[in-house]
C-alpha cells in the first residue's frame, strides 16, 4: 500500500430530487455555507426516478460512495414515489453488500428544500465516513493473470 | 534426448484434457501424463445460494448429463430437509432418468466410441465419425439415432420442464406431474426404445463380436486393468441408476463394501497431484498406492462395466439375458477388459428402456401427488445416483434458513481419473515401441483408452468434411413416414 | 465449389450448448449440407494445431460457447477470432458469464482452496495445482486461472450474441435457417453486435400465467408452498426473474411450475440485469415502513446471487470486490 502525501479525497455521486433535496443543496450554496466539495450532484426530477443502474454505474466507474436524497416521506412532490425509492434502496444496499461494497458507502438522506444547513452537515459527515473507509477503486486490478501460488514442497 | 508428443485437446468426448507422452532414447514410452486443465469452482460458488437452487445450479456442471446432477441434487436437497418425497415423485424422477440414460448411452455408442470400433481404430479422420458409421452400416441408422435422442429428450422435457437443464425437482418432490396423454406417449416411445436397444446389441454383435480382430483388441492386454469396481445396486443387488446402495467389488469380484449415501465419507477419499486440476478418488479402506492395478491399490472405476461387475444381475428380463451372455462370452465375472465397457453400455441401454416402460405403466405415475411440503429444518444431506459416467455424489450443508454453507461433490468421471490415467499409459506403452512410426491413427488408439470410460456427449449425427449422399426416412412411433430428407441423392 | 467452414468451440462451459445444437435433430443435416465442419472437439478429431494452420478469416462461422476462465480459454478465443469471419458469443457463458461467473463472488485463491480441501480430499501437504511442474522427463503445464471469469467480448471483438443456457433448439434452428438464407443471397445478416435467436421482450410476455397487481407482504420459497399453477409466481411471493429476462424461451420454466432463473440474460434495453431486478422487486413490496420493508426483504435470502445468477461476469460491477486481485 503506497504512502499517501495528501489525505484521500473521496469521490461521491449525489442523486438529488428537483423539488426538495436539490433545492436544499442549492440553498446551502446560495447561503454560502461551506461544506465538503466531494459530492458531484446529479439532479433527478424525483428520487423515485433513481434507477439502481445509476448507482451501480457510479461505483463501477470509480465513485467511492453514493448519496441518494429525496423529499421526506409523505412530502413527495409526486405523492408516493420516494417510497418506491426507499424500497429499492433497502434492497440495493443488500445486493451491494454481497458485492463487497460496505453499507456505509451508500447513504439515504431525506431533505426538504428548507434544510440547506442539515444537507451541508450530513454531507460533511458522510465525506469523513467515506474518507475513513478509504478509496473503492472498483475497476483497478482486473484482468491480470494470477500466478498460481507455489506451495510447500511435495514430498517424494 | 527425450522426445515429447502432445495430444491437445483430446476429442470425441465431453470436457477438456491433454495427454503428454515422453519417449526415451530407445524410442519407448518413458512416461505419460494425462492432465485436466479446467476448474470452475462449483464447490465454492454454491456457498451462499438457497439450497433449492442446487438442482438448477449443479445442472451446469455438465450440459450433457445435467439430468444426473439434477437428480443427485434433488435427492440431496430432500435429505437436507429430511423429507420423504411421494412415491409418484420418485417414480417420475426415475422415469425421466431412464429415458435420459437411453439417449446418453445411444449417442456415446454411435457417435463417440462407435466410429473407432465400426470404422477401425486408425481409419482416416474424415471417416472416423458417425457419418462413416452410417455409410458402413446403412442410412437407416442415422434416422434411428436421431429418433432415440428425440424421444429421450421429449420425456426429459415432459417431466423435467426443459430438454437441457431440467427445472422441476425441488425439495419434497416435483413442481409438476404428467397427464394420461403424456403417459401414453411416454410408454409408446419407451417400447420403441426397447426395440432400438435390442437392435443396437445385435449391431454390436454383427460388427464387433463377429470380427476376430476386434475381439482380440477387446480381450487383449493393452486395454485391460484389474481394479476395484463401483456401482449402485437395489436391495436385490441388481443395477439401479437412480437409487440404492453403492457396492464396490474387488478385482476378484468379491464385495469389499456396500454403503448408504451418508456413509460415502468412510469409503472414498480424493488424492491430489500438483500437475492437474482434477483429483483422484480411491477406496479409503484400501489406501492410495499410486497408479497401479491390483487388490492392494485403492484405485477403482465407476463405469457401465463396473456397474455390471458390482451387481449380481439386471432388474429387467431382456437385460438380464444379455448380462448372462456377456459374462459367458468373456469368461466370467468380473470382466477387466476396458473395451468391453462399450458392450456393457448397450446392456444398460436395454435395461434403461425396459425400466422406462415399467415406470410408464405404473398406476401411480399420473397421480397429482408429486410434492410434499417439507416441515423439518434444513441441515445437511447426501444424494447419490449413477451418472452414465459413474457414481455421482452430492453433499450439502445449510444454515437454518436453507442457505448453502458448504458443498462437496464427487462427480462421475472424477471416479475414473486414476484408471483412465493408467489406461492411457498402458496403451501408449504397448503401442509405441522402438522404431514405431507414430501416426495420427496410433495416437487415436491411445485416445481410445480414454473413450471407453466417458460416454458423456450427445451427438446424434453430425456433419463432417466431404459430401455425403444421405437419405433419412423419419418415422413416428407408429412406423408411419413423417418425412424423408435427402442430400446429394437423386 | 467448397462449402463455407464452420467451427464450434467450448471454453469454460458445460457442453449444454453442444447438446442444444444437436437437439435440432434432422436439421443438423442442413448444417452438413451447407458447411464444412473444421473444428469441433466434442464431435471430431481436429486439434489446436490444425486450427493454427488455417488461414486467417477462413472459417466463415464460429460458435464460441463457454466463459473465459483461464489463459488457455483466452488464447483460443483470440485464435478463433483471427481465423473466423463471424464469431458468435453462443450461450449464456460466452455472453454474460453464466453460472461459472458466480465464482466472481470469491477470490480465485479461495475457489482453488475450497476444491483442494473438501471434506473428502486427502491433501495433508496442502498441495495446489502448479501451472508448470517439473517431471523427470520434462516440464508439463496446465493453464493459469484468471482472478475473475470474463465474457467473450471482454477479450475479443464479438459479432453476434446468442443468449440462453442453453439457447433453445428451435431458436438455433431458426438462426441456422437465416444463415443458410444469407449464404444463398436471400437475406441479410443483422447489424453487427445484435442479439440473435431471442425475443425483444421479457419472459413475462411469453408466460401464460395470470397477472394482477403485485402486493408482496412476504417472499417465499418454492418448496414451502403448493403454488397456484395459473397465477404469476412472483405475485405468490416466489422470486421469479421473469420481469428482467429476455424472451425467446417460451417461458418454459414457469410453464413447468418453476420460477424463471434468468438464463436468457437481460431483456432488450437493460443495462445491468441485477439493477433492473432490484427495481422490479423493490416496486412490488407492499410497505412504506423501513422496518417492515426489511422484514419482507429478509425473505430474499440471496439477492445478489439471485439477481446476478447468470449475469455477474457481464454486469457493470463484474465481480465482488474480494475477487479483484488488488483487493486490500
Amino acid at each position: 500500500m503506497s504512502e499517501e502525501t495528501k489525505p484521500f479525497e473521496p469521490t461521491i455521486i449525489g442523486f438529488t430530487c428537483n423539488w426538495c433535496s436539490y433545492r436544499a443543496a442549492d440553498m446551502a450554496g446560495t447561503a454560502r455555507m461551506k461544506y465538503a466539495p466531494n459530492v458531484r450532484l446529479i439532479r433527478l426530477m424525483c428520487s423515485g426516478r433513481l434507477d439502481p443502474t445509476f448507482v451501480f454505474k457510479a461505483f463501477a466507474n470509480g465513485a467511492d460512495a453514493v448519496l441518494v436524497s429525496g423529499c421526506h416521506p409523505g412530502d413527495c412532490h409526486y405523492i408516493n414515489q420516494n417510497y418506491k425509492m426507499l424500497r429499492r434502496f433497502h434492497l440495493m444496499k443488500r445486493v451491494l453488500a454481497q458485492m463487497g461494497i460496505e453499507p456505509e458507502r451508500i447513504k439515504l438522506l431525506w431533505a426538504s428544500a428548507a434544510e440547506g444547513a442539515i444537507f451541508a452537515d450530513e454531507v460533511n459527515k458522510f465525506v469523513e465516513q467515506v474518507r475513513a473507509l478509504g478509496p473503492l477503486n472498483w475497476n483497478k486490478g482486473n484482468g491480470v493473470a494470477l500466478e498460481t501460488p507455489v506451495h510447500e514442497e511435495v514430498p517424494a | 534426448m527425450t522426445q515429447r508428443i502432445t495430444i491437445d485437446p483430446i476429442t470425441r468426448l465431453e470436457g477438456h484434457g491433454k495427454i503428454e507422452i515422453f519417449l526415451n532414447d530407445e524410442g519407448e514410452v518413458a512416461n505419460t501424463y494425462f492432465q485436466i486443465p479446467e476448474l470452475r469452482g462449483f464447490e465454492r460458488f454454491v456457498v451462499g445460494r438457497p439450497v433449492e437452487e442446487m438442482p438448477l445450479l449443479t445442472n451446469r456442471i455438465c450440459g450433457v448429463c445435467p439430468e444426473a446432477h439434477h437428480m443427485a441434487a434433488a435427492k440431496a436437497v430432500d435429505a437436507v430437509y429430511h423429507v420423504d418425497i411421494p412415491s409418484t415423485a420418485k417414480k417420475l424422477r426415475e422415469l425421466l432418468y431412464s429415458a435420459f440414460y437411453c439417449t446418453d448411452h445411444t449417442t456415446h455408442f454411435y457417435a463417440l466410441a462407435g466410429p473407432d470400433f465400426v470404422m477401425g481404430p486408425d481409419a482416416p479422420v474424415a471417416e472416423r465419425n458417425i457419418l462413416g458409421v452410417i455409410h458402413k452400416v446403412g442410412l437407416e441408422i442415422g434416422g434411428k439415432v436421431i429418433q432415440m435422442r428425440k424421444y429421450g429428450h421429449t420425456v426429459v422435457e415432459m417431466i423435467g420442464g426443459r430438454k437441457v437443464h431440467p427445472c422441476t425437482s425441488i425439495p419434497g418432490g416435483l413442481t409438476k406431474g404428467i397427464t394420461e396423454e403424456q403417459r401414453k406417449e411416454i410408454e409408446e416411445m419407451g417400447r420403441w426404445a426397447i426395440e432400438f436397444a435390442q437392435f443396437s446389441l445385435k449391431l454390436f454383435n454383427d460388427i464387433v463380436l463377429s470380427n476376430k480382430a476386434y475381439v482380440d483388441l477387446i480381450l487383449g492386454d493393452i486395454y485391460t486393468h484389474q481394479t476395484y469396481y463401483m456401482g449402485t445396486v437395489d436391495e436385490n443387488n441388481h443395477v439401479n441408476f437412480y437409487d440404492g446402495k453403492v457396492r464396490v467389488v474387488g478385482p476378484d469380484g468379491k464385495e469389499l463394501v456396500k454403503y448408504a449415501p451418508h456413509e460415502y465419507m468412510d469409503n472414498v477419499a480424493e488424492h491430489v497431484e500438483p500437475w492437474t486440476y482434477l483429483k483422484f478418488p480411491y477406496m479409503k479402506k484400501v489406501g492410495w498406492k499410486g497408479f497401479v492395478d491390483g487388490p492392494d491399490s485403492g484405485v477403482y472405476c465407476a463405469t457401465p462395466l463396473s456397474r455390471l461387475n458390482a451387481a449380481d444381475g439386471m432388474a429387467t428380463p431382456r437385460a438380464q439375458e444379455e448380462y448372462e451372455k456377456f459374462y459367458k462370452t468373456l469368461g466370467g465375472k468380473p470382466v477387466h477388459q476396458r473395451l468391453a465397457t462399450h458392450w456393457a453400455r448397450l446392456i444398460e441401454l436395454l435395461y434403461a428402456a425396459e425400466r422406462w416402460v415399467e415406470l410408464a405403466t405404473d398406476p401411480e405415475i399420473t397421480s397429482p401427488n408429486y410434492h410434499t411440503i417439507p416441515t423439518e429444518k434444513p441441515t445437511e444431506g447426501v444424494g447419490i445416483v449413477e451418472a452414465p459416467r459413474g457414481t455421482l455424489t452430492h453433499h450439502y450443508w445449510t444454515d437454518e434458513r436453507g442457505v448453502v454453507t458448504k458443498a462437496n461433490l464427487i462427480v462421475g468421471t472424477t471416479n475414473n481419473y486414476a484408471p483412465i490415467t493408467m489406461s492411457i499409459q498402458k496403451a501408449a506403452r504397448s503401442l509405441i515401441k522402438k522404431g514405431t512410426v507414430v501416426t495420427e491413427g496410433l495416437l487415436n488408439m491411445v485416445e481410445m483408452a480414454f473413450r471407453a470410460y466417458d460416454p458423456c456427449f450427445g451427438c446424434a449425427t453430425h456433419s463432417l468434411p466431404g459430401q455425403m449422399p444421405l437419405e433419412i426416412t423419419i418415422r413416428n412411433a407408429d412406423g408411419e413416414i413423417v418425412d424423408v430428407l435427402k442430400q446429394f441423392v437423386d | 465449389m467448397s462449402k463455407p467452414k464452420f467451427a464450434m468451440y467450448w471454453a469454460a462451459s458445460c457442453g449444454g450448448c453442444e447438446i442444444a445444437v444437436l437437439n435440432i435433430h434432422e436439421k443438423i443435416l442442413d448444417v452438413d449440407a451447407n458447411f464444412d465442419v473444421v473444428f469441433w472437439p466434442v464431435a471430431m478429431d481436429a486439434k489446436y494445431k490444425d486450427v493454427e494452420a488455417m488461414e486467417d478469416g477462413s472459417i466463415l462461422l464460429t460458435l464460441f460457447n463457454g466463459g473465459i476462465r483461464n489463459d488457455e480459454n483466452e488464447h483460443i478465443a483470440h485464435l478463433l477470432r483471427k481465423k473466423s469471419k463471424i464469431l458468435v458469443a453462443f450461450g449464456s457463458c460466452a455472453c454474460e458469464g453464466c453460472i461459472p461467473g458466480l465464482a466472481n463472488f470469491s477470490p480465485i485463491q479461495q475457489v482453488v482452496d475450497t476444491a483442494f480441501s473438501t471434506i473428502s480430499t486427502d491433501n495433508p501437504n496442502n498441495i495446489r495445482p502448479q501451472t508448470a511442474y517439473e517431471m523427470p522427463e520434462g516440464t508439463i503445464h496446465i493453464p493459469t486461472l484468471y482472478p475473475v471469469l470474463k465474457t467473450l467480448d471482454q477479450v475479443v471483438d464479438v459479432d453476434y450474441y446468442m443468449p440462453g443456457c442453453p439457447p433453445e433448439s428451435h431458436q438455433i434452428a431458426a438462426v441456422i435457417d437465416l444463415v443458410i438464407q444469407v449464404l444463398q443471397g436471400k437475406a441479410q445478416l443483422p447489424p453487427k453486435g445484435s442479439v440473435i435467436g431471442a425475443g425483444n421482450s421479457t419472459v413475462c410476455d411469453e408466460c401464460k400465467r395470470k397477472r394482477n397487481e403485485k402486493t408482496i407482504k412476504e417472499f417465499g420459497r418454492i418448496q414451502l408452498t403448493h403454488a397456484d399453477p395459473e397465477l404469476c409466481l412472483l405475485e405468490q411471493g416466489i422470486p421469479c426473474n421473469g420481469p428482467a429476462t429476455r424472451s425467446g424461451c417460451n417461458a418454459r420454466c414457469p410453464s413447468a411450475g418453476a420460477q424463471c432463473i434468468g438464463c436468457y440474460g437481460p431483456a432488450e434495453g437493460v443495462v445491468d440485469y441485477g439493477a433492473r431486478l432490484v427495481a422490479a422487486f423493490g416496486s412490488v413490496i407492499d410497505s412504506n415502513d423501513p422496518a417492515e420493508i426489511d422484514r419482507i426483504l429478509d425473505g430474499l435470502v440471496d439477492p445478489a446471487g439471485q439477481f446476478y445468477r447468470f449475469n455477474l461476469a457481464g454486469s457493470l460491477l463484474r465481480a465482488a470486490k474480494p475477487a479483484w486481485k488488488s483487493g486490500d
Side-chain angles (χ1 to χ4, degrees):
Chain A
M1 208 154 74
S2 58
E3 288 271 73
E4 299 269 292
T5 48
K6 299 181 289 190
F8 149 62
E9 287 301 336
T11 302
I12 302 177
I13 307 296
F15 295 97
T16 54
C17 77
N18 180 61
W19 303 98
C20 285
S21 48
Y22 187 79
R23 293 186 185 198
D26 207 31
M27 178 197 174
T30 40
R32 298 186 191 273
M33 294 181 212
K34 263 189 139 35
Y35 70 99
N38 304 64
V39 180
R40 279 77 157 150
L41 290 179
I42 295 176
R43 176 166 58 135
L44 309 169
M45 287 310 292
C46 175
S47 60
R49 174 66 184 93
L50 181 76
D51 185 332
T53 312
F54 303 161
V55 177
F56 286 79
K57 191 158 189 183
F59 283 120
N61 286 359
D64 299 302
V66 169
L67 171 69
V68 178
S69 189
C71 306
H72 284 275
D75 293 346
C76 177
H77 187 83
Y78 301 100
I79 321 296
N80 270 332
Q81 307 320 305
N82 54 353
Y83 286 121
K84 285 215 171 99
M85 185 277 289
L86 172 68
R87 294 179 227 142
R88 279 180 213 146
F89 184 87
H90 277 244
L91 181 50
M92 186 165 55
K93 210 161 173 169
R94 291 169 182 237
V95 173
L96 290 172
Q98 279 187 273
M99 297 297 291
I101 295 176
E102 304 93 314
E104 296 78 30
R105 289 188 187 271
I106 165 162
K107 182 184 175 71
L108 173 60
L109 172 66
W110 305 124
S112 77
E115 290 175 325
I118 293 176
F119 187 87
D121 192 42
E122 291 294 329
V123 166
N124 285 334
K125 288 210 289 257
F126 190 41
V127 169
E128 290 321 306
Q129 186 179 309
V130 178
R131 201 193 304 276
L133 287 173
L136 191 55
N137 281 342
W138 192 259
N139 250 358
K140 306 273 163 64
N142 59 325
V144 177
L146 179 73
E147 280 306 310
T148 315
V150 175
H151 282 260
E152 297 92 294
E153 253 186 328
V154 178
Chain B
M1 211 192 47
T2 316
Q3 198 202 329
R4 177 184 192 141
I5 304 169
T6 307
I7 303 175
D8 193 16
I10 47 179
T11 52
R12 276 190 289 132
L13 72 152
E14 193 276 339
H16 292 235
K18 175 166 79 149
I19 298 172
E20 299 272 22
I21 304 172
F22 289 99
L23 305 180
N24 61 20
D25 296 336
E26 280 79 51
E28 292 170 331
V29 173
N31 222 331
T32 63
Y33 298 101
F34 174 43
Q35 298 172 284
I36 301 300
E38 51 177 355
L39 174 68
R40 283 168 296 158
F42 277 80
E43 283 153 329
R44 176 71 235 149
F45 62 69
V46 297
V47 170
R49 312 279 85 80
V51 77
E52 65 270 24
E53 291 189 18
M54 293 304 278
L56 310 171
L57 296 174
T58 59
N59 271 338
R60 275 83 184 176
I61 293 173
C62 177
V64 175
C65 58
E67 293 84 348
H69 288 284
H70 189 74
M71 292 310 167
K75 292 172 72 181
V77 300
D78 292 338
V80 163
Y81 273 96
H82 311 284
V83 62
D84 203 17
I85 72 174
S87 170
T88 297
K90 284 191 191 138
K91 290 174 177 171
L92 280 170
R93 285 191 191 161
E94 194 180 349
L95 174 53
L96 182 160
Y97 207 49
S98 304
F100 153 68
Y101 249 80
C102 289
T103 300
D104 199 286
H105 274 1
T106 295
T107 53
H108 178 266
F109 175 71
Y110 284 97
L112 293 192
D116 292 325
F117 259 111
V118 177
M119 301 313 296
D122 50 4
V125 171
E127 290 170 29
R128 209 170 59 220
N129 53 71
I130 181 60
L131 283 180
V133 170
I134 292 172
H135 196 50
K136 183 152 184 169
V137 302
L139 300 177
E140 210 186 318
I141 308 296
K144 281 191 204 277
V145 176
I146 290 179
Q147 174 120 312
M148 183 70 262
R149 293 197 72 255
K150 211 184 221 180
Y151 280 176
H153 276 114
T154 302
V155 177
V156 171
E157 190 173 32
M158 274 183 188
I159 302 172
R162 305 178 59 171
K163 291 195 184 71
V164 181
H165 300 322
C167 61
T168 56
S169 286
I170 55 176
L174 296 169
T175 59
K176 71 184 283 290
I178 55 172
T179 62
E180 172 57 25
E181 213 180 302
Q182 288 174 315
R183 187 210 69 75
K184 275 209 192 76
E185 210 184 318
I186 293 173
E187 180 188 337
E188 255 181 75
M189 293 190 282
R191 294 195 188 282
W192 186 91
I194 292 178
E195 283 174 28
F196 176 76
Q198 290 174 309
F199 164 81
S200 304
L201 279 160
K202 182 164 187 311
L203 191 83
F204 187 83
N205 189 68
D206 293 344
I207 289 176
V208 180
L209 295 178
S210 309
N211 180 323
K212 185 177 185 305
Y214 289 143
V215 174
D216 286 344
L217 202 61
I218 294 176
L219 295 178
D221 190 53
I222 163 182
Y223 296 112
T224 298
H225 286 275
Q226 304 217 1
T227 62
Y228 284 85
Y229 298 103
M230 174 186 279
T232 297
V233 296
D234 63 20
E235 60 275 1
N236 299 317
N237 281 339
H238 291 153
V239 172
N240 190 293
F241 301 138
Y242 178 74
D243 204 22
K245 290 203 165 135
V246 179
R247 193 180 195 212
V248 181
V249 302
D252 59 357
K254 292 213 182 56
E255 179 180 302
L256 170 74
V257 67
K258 191 158 95 172
Y259 63 85
H262 65 272
E263 295 167 326
Y264 83 94
M265 276 296 303
D266 299 328
N267 292 285
V268 177
E270 300 175 88
H271 171 80
V272 174
E273 290 286 341
W275 40 265
T276 179
Y277 283 111
L278 191 61
K279 297 172 283 184
F280 302 89
Y282 63 94
M283 297 312 299
K284 221 162 158 175
K285 295 188 165 124
V286 180
W288 175 261
K289 309 285 169 49
F291 296 98
V292 291
D293 284 30
D296 296 326
S297 164
V299 169
Y300 69 90
C301 74
T303 62
L305 180 63
S306 318
R307 286 191 281 261
L308 264 56
N309 278 343
D312 291 343
M314 308 301 289
T316 55
R318 295 177 190 82
Q320 175 62 21
E321 227 179 280
E322 295 295 330
Y323 171 99
E324 286 166 16
K325 179 169 150 204
F326 174 80
Y327 283 111
K328 185 146 174 250
T329 308
L330 294 174
K333 290 186 75 178
V335 165
H336 300 296
Q337 290 89 347
R338 298 298 146 108
L339 289 192
T341 312
H342 298 301
W343 187 0
R345 189 167 292 116
L346 294 177
I347 298 173
E348 286 195 334
L349 169 62
L350 180 55
Y351 160 63
E354 290 185 280
R355 189 78 184 116
W356 175 341
V357 172
E358 264 180 17
L359 289 162
T361 48
D362 187 297
E364 280 191 324
I365 204 75
T366 49
S367 157
N369 181 24
Y370 45 76
H371 183 239
T372 298
I373 295 178
T375 51
E376 307 272 331
K377 281 240 166 313
T379 55
E380 178 189 343
V382 179
I384 294 185
V385 296
E386 287 295 318
R389 295 170 302 177
T391 312
L392 174 59
T393 304
H394 282 213
H395 186 178
Y396 315 141
W397 293 255
T398 71
D399 65 17
E400 69 284 351
R401 297 171 305 160
V403 174
V404 177
T405 54
K406 192 161 76 168
N408 188 29
L409 311 167
I410 304 181
V411 177
T413 302
T414 315
N415 292 299
N416 297 316
Y417 191 19
I420 290 172
T421 301
M422 291 154 57
S423 286
I424 287 174
Q425 173 146 139
K426 191 168 188 183
R429 280 221 158 94
S430 310
L431 292 165
I432 302 174
K433 299 222 193 289
K434 180 175 179 159
T436 307
V437 176
V438 178
T439 60
E440 186 279 329
L442 192 78
L443 292 180
N444 182 51
M445 288 186 72
V446 174
E447 286 196 68
M448 275 173 66
F450 187 123
R451 279 188 204 112
Y453 291 84
D454 194 4
C456 182
F457 195 80
C459 180
T461 165
H462 68 288
S463 52
L464 285 144
Q467 294 186 343
M468 188 70 213
L470 200 55
E471 179 177 334
I472 301 268
T473 304
I474 311 295
R475 295 173 192 274
N476 64 14
D478 296 324
E480 297 159 357
I481 295 178
V482 171
D483 202 359
V484 178
L485 303 159
K486 299 184 199 197
Q487 60 150 31
F488 306 116
V489 170
D490 296 332
Chain C
M1 196 180 76
S2 64
K3 290 183 283 183
K5 296 184 171 48
F6 170 91
M8 187 161 183
Y9 182 71
W10 48 13
S13 79
C14 74
C17 287
E18 267 76 8
I19 293 283
V21 167
L22 295 163
N23 282 355
I24 63 178
H25 300 304
E26 304 82 23
K27 204 153 199 68
I28 205 79
L29 299 170
D30 289 349
V31 176
D32 182 41
N34 288 278
F35 292 93
D36 263 340
V37 177
V38 294
F39 181 60
W40 195 4
V42 73
M44 48 89 74
D45 293 341
K47 309 288 182 191
Y48 291 145
K49 59 176 171 55
D50 300 314
V51 180
E52 281 155 12
M54 292 174 195
E55 248 180 72
D56 288 2
S58 59
I59 305 174
L60 176 66
L61 176 62
T62 293
L63 303 180
F64 190 108
N65 68 81
I68 309 296
R69 178 73 266 181
N70 60 40
D71 58 356
E72 178 182 309
N73 298 150
E74 181 165 0
H75 172 70
I76 302 300
H78 285 291
L79 179 65
L80 285 170
R81 173 72 275 183
K82 203 157 67 128
K83 306 295 178 184
S84 310
K85 273 221 168 50
I86 302 172
L87 184 65
V88 177
F90 189 87
S92 175
C93 286
C95 290
E96 49 176 356
C98 194
I99 298 295
L102 288 172
N104 287 2
F105 275 117
S106 309
I108 190 63
Q109 190 58 51
Q110 194 181 28
V111 173
V112 175
D113 285 345
T114 301
F116 283 86
S117 60
T118 69
I119 190 176
S120 56
T121 301
D122 166 28
N123 193 2
N125 295 316
N126 244 336
I127 296 170
R128 298 290 180 266
Q130 309 290 300
T131 54
Y133 198 78
E134 275 298 320
M135 289 299 193
E137 302 84 10
T139 312
I140 56 177
H141 299 268
I142 45 179
T144 303
L145 296 171
Y146 285 165
V148 158
L149 180 135
K150 297 191 230 181
T151 64
L152 184 60
D153 68 359
Q154 287 167 3
V155 298
V156 296
D157 188 38
V158 166
D159 296 304
Y160 299 102
Y161 299 86
M162 189 140 167
C165 176
E168 285 287 313
S169 300
H170 70 276
Q171 294 284 9
I172 298 172
V175 167
I176 287 170
D177 276 341
L178 173 66
V179 173
I180 290 172
Q181 296 233 298
V182 168
L183 286 176
Q184 294 167 349
K186 296 190 192 139
Q188 297 264 44
L189 281 173
K192 182 174 145 141
S194 300
V195 170
I196 57 175
N200 287 333
S201 181
T202 63
V203 170
C204 295
D205 228 17
E206 292 181 326
C207 180
K208 303 226 172 13
R209 290 169 180 258
K210 278 200 267 300
R211 295 191 277 286
N212 310 306
E213 195 182 327
K214 296 175 203 346
T215 50
I216 306 290
K217 282 285 189 202
E218 185 130 18
F219 284 111
R221 310 277 285 275
I222 192 164
Q223 66 272 24
L224 299 180
T225 178
H226 281 146
D228 183 335
E230 313 279 310
L231 191 59
C232 167
L233 287 167
L234 183 55
E235 210 166 304
Q236 300 178 66
I238 291 168
C240 176
N241 283 4
T245 307
R246 189 179 282 270
S247 56
C249 63
N250 287 333
R252 266 182 218 290
C253 296
S255 307
Q259 72 273 37
C260 166
I261 52 175
C263 80
Y264 252 70
E268 189 87 17
V270 170
V271 170
D272 186 287
Y273 179 81
R276 180 55 66 95
L277 283 171
V278 168
F281 276 66
S283 66
V284 302
I285 294 169
D286 184 21
S287 174
N288 291 334
D289 168 55
E292 202 193 353
I293 291 172
D294 272 333
R295 184 196 61 74
I296 296 171
L297 286 177
D298 283 345
L300 291 176
V301 294
D302 176 30
Q306 180 201 330
F307 296 161
Y308 285 114
R309 200 180 277 123
F310 288 85
N311 193 256
L312 185 57
S315 68
L316 285 174
L317 293 173
R318 292 208 201 175
K321 188 177 170 204
W324 294 116
K325 185 181 180 187
S326 64
D328 42 51

